[in-house]
Amino acid sequence: MRKKILFFAEIFLLICTAVFCLVKTEKVSNAVADALRRCIYVIIPSLYAMMIVPSLLIKSGIIDRISSITGSTGKIIFGMEKVVFSVFCFSMIAGYPVGTKMLSSAYEKGLIEKHRAEIFSGLCFGAGSAFIYGCIAGQLYGNRSAGNIIFISTLSANILLAFVVSFFMRKNCNSHIEKSAVTLSPQMLTECVISGGHSIMNICFMVIAFAVVTEILKYSGIISVAGNFLSQITDLSADDSGQFITAIFDVTAVNGFSVGNYKLLPYLSFLVSFGGICVIFQISAISGKLSLKPLIFLRIISAVISFIICRIITPFMLSGETVPTSVINVRTHQAHSPIPSVMLVIMTFFLFCEYEKIKPLRLE
């Protein structure tokens, strides 16, 4: 009975979405256009390479060598296997889906048990410096100070949470790794590029889909009601509260907050640490057989910790910082042209087509 109710509910929501897209074409087209701009100017430039590197590190065996260099540091401090500690460090600067993608690859390769990979996926999680400094600090504040505060807050929350979780993970930690030879080949690089292209495509499609969903929620008044309620219990304005609710669904919408408002930093840290529902769906598409329940639980806790840390450190880190009274020209940190991102997508498409042509011949 429950499955039937869920099935009919999904059908009803799909029908409502289709009707909205047909009736409110202008709103939908504007939402999709804005999402495409975020993909071209922010997501593809900051994440494309980072989606290729993880697969290359795992498949080539380089991650094993890096793990050997770090020794037992991860096990002693965080109760992590050597390979997980390497992923944990790398994911802090790489971008949201990268940590889970690497853990999924490590699990498929037999380097880590499934339940441990699921738990650590909630810790190997970071927005990436390109997003924090380019999309948030650059566009909203025009300086690196805001980016430093957000980065330190989210990083500290992850480290603190990892240390707490370590008390439950140390017992079954197996830090032994069989060293494998490092192998690199043009075929491996091609496969990693194609895998990265698939991942970035899934991410962009998800961002576009969530842009339509949030537009429906805005039109229905749900975001407005939730925003007004949030503004009453916080120090956020009604507009910023509504934008906060929107960013809960898609974190790339954070550039819609009011410009130059340093009171928003704790809320931005919360959003960056949580990642947003859209990011969780993106990770679900590339996580393979891993359950995301531990990830969601740990990200909510991490977001709260990040909010608290940001509240504490902001006055100290902004001490002596000149806050601009005029912020008309703050939004200057973005790609100057969409052409490089578009050409990158086109070249990846051609590479994928050529690879599919020669794949049967190579298998023979």
Side-chain angles (χ1 to χ4, degrees), residues 41-70:
Y41 286 107
V42 178
I43 295 174
I44 294 177
S46 63
L47 272 184
Y48 191 93
M50 288 301 184
M51 297 308 295
I52 298 171
V53 171
S55 296
L56 192 61
L57 290 175
I58 295 289
K59 289 185 177 181
S60 66
I62 294 176
I63 193 69
D64 298 345
R65 298 302 175 91
I66 296 175
S67 301
S68 299
I69 295 173
T70 59

Side-chain angles (χ1 to χ4, degrees), residues 30 33 37 122 197 209 255 276 278 298:
N30 289 337
R37 280 192 292 270
N255 57 7
C278 182
L298 290 173

Side-chain angles (χ1 to χ4, degrees), residues 32 99-100 111 113 143 157 186 202 215 245 276 301 309 322:
V32 170
T100 304
L111 300 177
E113 296 177 3
N143 60 58
N202 289 333
E215 190 61 35
I245 302 298
I301 296 175
I309 292 175
T322 302

Side-chain angles (χ1 to χ4, degrees), residues 20-22 24-33 212 215-216:
F20 181 84
C21 291
L22 291 172
K24 299 295 180 179
T25 54
E26 184 177 356
K27 289 184 177 295
V28 172
S29 62
N30 289 337
V32 170
V212 177
E215 190 61 35
I216 294 173

